[in-house]
Amino acid sequence: MLYQVYETQRTLMEPFVDFAQAAAKLYGNPQSPLGQNPLVQRIAAGYSLIYRLGKDYEKPAFEIRSVDVAGTSVAIDERIEIDKPFCELRRFKRFTDDPKTLTTLKGQPAVLIVAPLSGHYATLLRDTVKTMLRDHKVYITDWKNARTVPLADGEFHLDDYVNYVQEFIRHLQATYGNCHVISVCQPTVPVFAAISLMATRGETTPLSMTMMGGPIDARLSPTAVNNLAMNKSFEWFENNVIYRVPNNFAGAGRRVYPGFLQHTGFVAMNPNRHATSHFDYFKDLIKGDDASVEAHRKFYDEYNAVLDMDADYYLETIKIVFQEFRLVNGNWDVMSLDGKAERVNPADIKTTAVMTVEGELDDISGSGQTRAALAMCTGVPQGQKKHLEVEGAGHYGIFSGRRWREKVYPALKAFILHANSALEVATAPVAAVVKGSAAKTGVERTAKPTAASNMSAAKTKESATAASQASVNAAAKTAKTARATATVKAIKPLTPAKAAKAKQPVVQPEAAAPARKAVAQVAIKSAEKSPVSRPAIAATADPAVLPTTAGAADDANSRIIQPAASTTDA
């Protein structure tokens, strides 16, 4: 009933809000007759403030059109890669026509930013995304307003959140071989669970996982948010903050935690600060301080734009994270897509580097709550763990603003690059391998091409190229299979004798995750039946048929042959 009352009140206020907007423009225009009044600046400022306080705030846009990469302006194309009922996986694809910059973009790590589903839209991380785009291929989870999701699309639970994250991680792994994951605030818990479950199943986990200002262990240094969740019963939340969406929205009838109630809670945490901010806005309008006025508008356009959360997801988060502490207690079971309950065990994570970030003055996630994740990752080597406490930073300061750009991002960038070295080793060019006496012990050694092999290579370049071209169709099938596989497995080697008996080419052990290596691998296998040695094949493979040339697009949706004139980063 409260939701309907709120919507009725908002509808009744709408004409007055529109009038206040029009009056502010009339009194603020020096060419208007009303603009000649001696008190015109105060009147215009008053009407502008009324308009700002009463208007309905829509979802903002990211509006990231370009970023600077090493002194070159790079265009950004924002697109939706995966569209789920409650979330969109949004990609910020970078374009440039500068060959040197394009090469730089292609070699940069892929990062999935998991935005919080806790009242605000993903655009709250606009500064995070824009900064990361300078050195990374960036994806972000853009959660939908639950009141726009029809009932026919079903419910949304915390388990669904975990499964969404796993699906998005697998998508990036199929595209780039692997990725890095950053979670900010609320998603630290489901992201931690998602990667833990992938590790338990034996799947390939992300190269790194960064958790920023999240309630991993909400028992430590409890804040006002934690106290509210812990001191009220589960039934209290269900009876007092859950309402059904009114009939004028697509999700009519859905049980949600309304955005307007969440916004009220946000403001109630610091009422004096918000009152002072609005009064300063009024004074800045009178003084004509356009820079301060615009900064106020941008902040509150974002801060006042809120979304509804599905009731099941919200209530389960309250119960599991803030009341029963199931993650840290080791008794959290997540329902997989096939209906199987799986226990979350962070100790199973072994190959993912872990970093935690906390703000010294964070009043939402207290000191130590995020850092607790490091102690839970007992399977990760100590050298692959890192903690950063940002001096003087509040909750928003660790992912937005000056402290984020000057203190957090440089440390995060270095951490990701260090963790990314594992992927660079796995995707190194195919080496020339010869077998000698080491074959008896199962050890293979890398040998440099000899002058004789180079001469042989020159004579057989045409035949090797033809064999490579003939293998393109087979490589396409291999790439498609690689994209669909969630867990990348090493190829089991065959001896030459067994390969000949089975009428198959010898396959050397190779990290087969990046699908674009399929062409090179199949070309080498096909040409191996010729008298040419391995070093000769590696030296004569025609780069024109491989999607790794400097001008080729590194796009997983077209992995076989890309136009040489492509200008995309990945």
Side-chain angles (χ1 to χ4, degrees):
M1 185 65 182
L2 182 62
Y3 207 142
Q4 285 81 352
V5 172
Y6 171 79
E7 282 299 310
T8 301
Q9 174 264 336
R10 189 181 64 82
T11 302
L12 292 174
M13 286 293 296
E14 192 169 356
F16 298 98
V17 172
D18 292 340
F19 171 79
Q21 181 186 27
K25 292 180 178 180
L26 283 173
Y27 282 101
N29 187 350
Q31 305 300 322
S32 169
L34 297 177
Q36 308 306 314
N37 191 302
L39 300 177
V40 64
Q41 289 179 317
R42 292 180 178 273
I43 297 174
Y47 276 121
S48 180
L49 182 58
I50 292 173
Y51 167 70
R52 298 285 305 176
L53 293 174
K55 67 170 290 192
D56 185 36
Y57 289 84
E58 300 291 337
K59 176 186 177 181
F62 279 98
E63 294 183 341
I64 302 175
R65 305 292 181 232
S66 64
V67 294
D68 183 86
V69 177
T72 302
S73 180
V74 175
I76 303 298
D77 177 36
E78 183 182 327
R79 58 181 64 178
I80 299 172
E81 289 269 315
I82 299 178
D83 189 3
K84 305 288 289 182
F86 289 87
C87 184
E88 296 171 344
L89 179 62
R90 197 169 290 271
R91 178 185 183 184
F92 298 87
K93 192 172 178 68
R94 302 170 298 175
F95 291 86
T96 181
D97 56 1
D98 180 65
K100 183 178 179 180
T101 304
L102 181 61
T103 302
T104 300
L105 297 180
K106 287 177 176 292
Q108 292 176 341
V111 176
L112 170 64
I113 301 176
V114 183
L117 177 54
S118 55
H120 288 108
Y121 289 97
T123 49
L124 192 68
L125 304 185
R126 183 185 293 104
D127 195 18
T128 313
V129 173
K130 190 169 184 178
T131 305
M132 294 289 297
L133 278 169
R134 299 201 303 251
D135 306 288
H136 308 86
K137 303 163 186 173
V138 179
Y139 292 71
I140 193 170
T141 58
D142 192 4
W143 300 100
K144 298 181 181 179
N145 192 334
R147 72 183 185 185
T148 66
V149 182
L151 279 174
D153 287 334
E155 301 171 341
F156 186 71
H157 297 263
L158 184 57
D159 292 350
D160 297 315
Y161 195 122
V162 174
N163 291 326
Y164 272 30
V165 171
Q166 291 179 341
E167 180 179 349
F168 297 154
I169 290 174
R170 294 185 188 112
H171 176 75
L172 266 69
Q173 288 176 333
T175 306
Y176 303 107
N178 213 327
C179 65
H180 305 263
V181 180
I182 299 174
S183 54
V184 181
C185 190
Q186 168 273 325
T188 55
V189 174
V191 168
F192 200 14
I195 295 176
S196 298
L197 291 171
M198 293 178 72
T200 301
R201 299 189 201 106
E203 295 186 52
T204 299
T205 57
L207 295 171
S208 76
M209 168 176 56
T210 302
M211 293 172 278
M212 307 172 66
I216 298 297
D217 189 349
R219 300 171 300 181
L220 305 176
S221 306
T223 63
V225 175
N226 303 141
N227 289 331
L228 175 64
M230 291 186 291
N231 295 334
K232 300 290 184 181
S233 67
F234 180 84
E235 290 73 20
W236 184 91
F237 285 99
E238 189 170 24
N239 295 331
N240 289 276
V241 301
I242 303 302
Y243 297 91
R244 293 195 178 274
V245 176
N247 293 329
N248 54 320
F249 295 103
R254 179 178 295 280
R255 294 172 69 245
V256 298
Y257 177 25
F260 70 87
L261 280 181
Q262 299 172 60
H263 181 263
T264 302
F266 298 151
V267 175
M269 291 178 62
N270 296 288
N272 294 333
R273 185 186 303 175
H274 290 287
T276 301
S277 179
H278 288 302
F279 185 58
D280 289 342
Y281 171 73
F282 174 78
K283 292 189 294 184
D284 290 336
L285 284 170
I286 296 175
K287 291 185 297 184
D289 187 349
D290 294 338
S292 297
V293 166
E294 186 60 25
H296 175 94
R297 287 173 177 166
K298 284 185 176 180
F299 174 79
Y300 279 98
D301 281 349
E302 194 72 59
Y303 190 81
N304 293 339
V306 291
L307 52 76
D308 297 351
M309 291 187 286
D310 189 89
D312 294 302
Y313 157 76
Y314 172 72
L315 293 173
E316 288 168 5
T317 299
I318 292 292
K319 185 176 183 179
I320 292 173
V321 179
F322 295 101
Q323 294 184 346
E324 298 181 352
F325 314 106
R326 292 189 191 176
L327 176 61
V328 292
N329 287 331
N331 58 355
W332 183 14
D333 293 329
V334 174
M335 193 68 66
S336 64
L337 292 176
D338 58 4
K340 179 183 178 182
E342 299 177 309
R343 178 62 53 89
V344 176
N345 185 13
D348 290 337
I349 301 176
K350 301 184 185 303
T351 59
T352 298
V354 182
M355 179 178 181
T356 56
V357 181
E358 294 180 345
E360 179 188 21
L361 306 178
D362 195 332
D363 57 355
I364 295 179
S365 294
S367 176
Q369 291 189 11
T370 312
R371 188 173 187 171
L374 297 179
M376 299 172 67
C377 294
T378 56
V380 179
Q382 197 62 33
Q384 297 297 314
K385 299 178 185 180
K386 181 176 181 178
H387 177 71
L388 175 65
E389 180 169 323
V390 188
E391 183 178 354
H395 187 68
Y396 294 98
I398 60 177
F399 61 84
S400 180
R402 178 178 58 84
R403 288 186 176 86
W404 148 251
R405 291 188 293 269
E406 296 178 1
K407 296 183 178 181
V408 179
Y409 179 66
L412 177 60
K413 175 185 173 183
F415 176 75
I416 290 177
L417 285 176
H418 182 267
N420 201 64
S421 60
L423 181 63
E424 292 174 355
V425 172
T427 58
V430 180
V433 179
V434 294
K435 295 183 179 180
S437 59
K440 298 179 180 180
T441 60
V443 179
E444 296 179 352
R445 298 182 180 178
T446 302
K448 296 181 180 179
T450 62
S453 66
N454 286 334
M455 183 179 298
S456 178
K459 293 180 180 180
T460 58
K461 178 177 181 180
E462 182 178 354
S463 60
T465 302
S468 300
Q469 292 284 11
S471 65
V472 167
N473 291 335
K477 183 176 181 181
T478 302
K480 182 177 180 182
T481 303
R483 288 197 298 271
T485 305
T487 305
V488 179
K489 299 181 179 178
I491 302 174
K492 184 177 181 181
L494 293 177
T495 64
K498 291 183 178 181
K501 184 177 181 180
K503 296 183 179 181
Q504 295 179 359
V506 175
V507 181
Q508 298 299 333
E510 188 70 19
R516 57 178 176 271
K517 292 179 60 180
V519 178
Q521 291 174 332
V522 177
I524 292 173
K525 297 174 195 174
S526 301
E528 194 165 345
K529 294 181 179 180
S530 69
V532 184
S533 64
R534 276 186 180 276
I537 295 172
T540 60
D542 191 347
V545 301
L546 304 179
T548 54
T549 57
D554 189 17
D555 196 321
N557 294 326
S558 48
R559 295 167 181 248
I560 307 306
I561 299 179
Q562 294 287 358
S566 173
T567 59
T568 179
D569 68 341

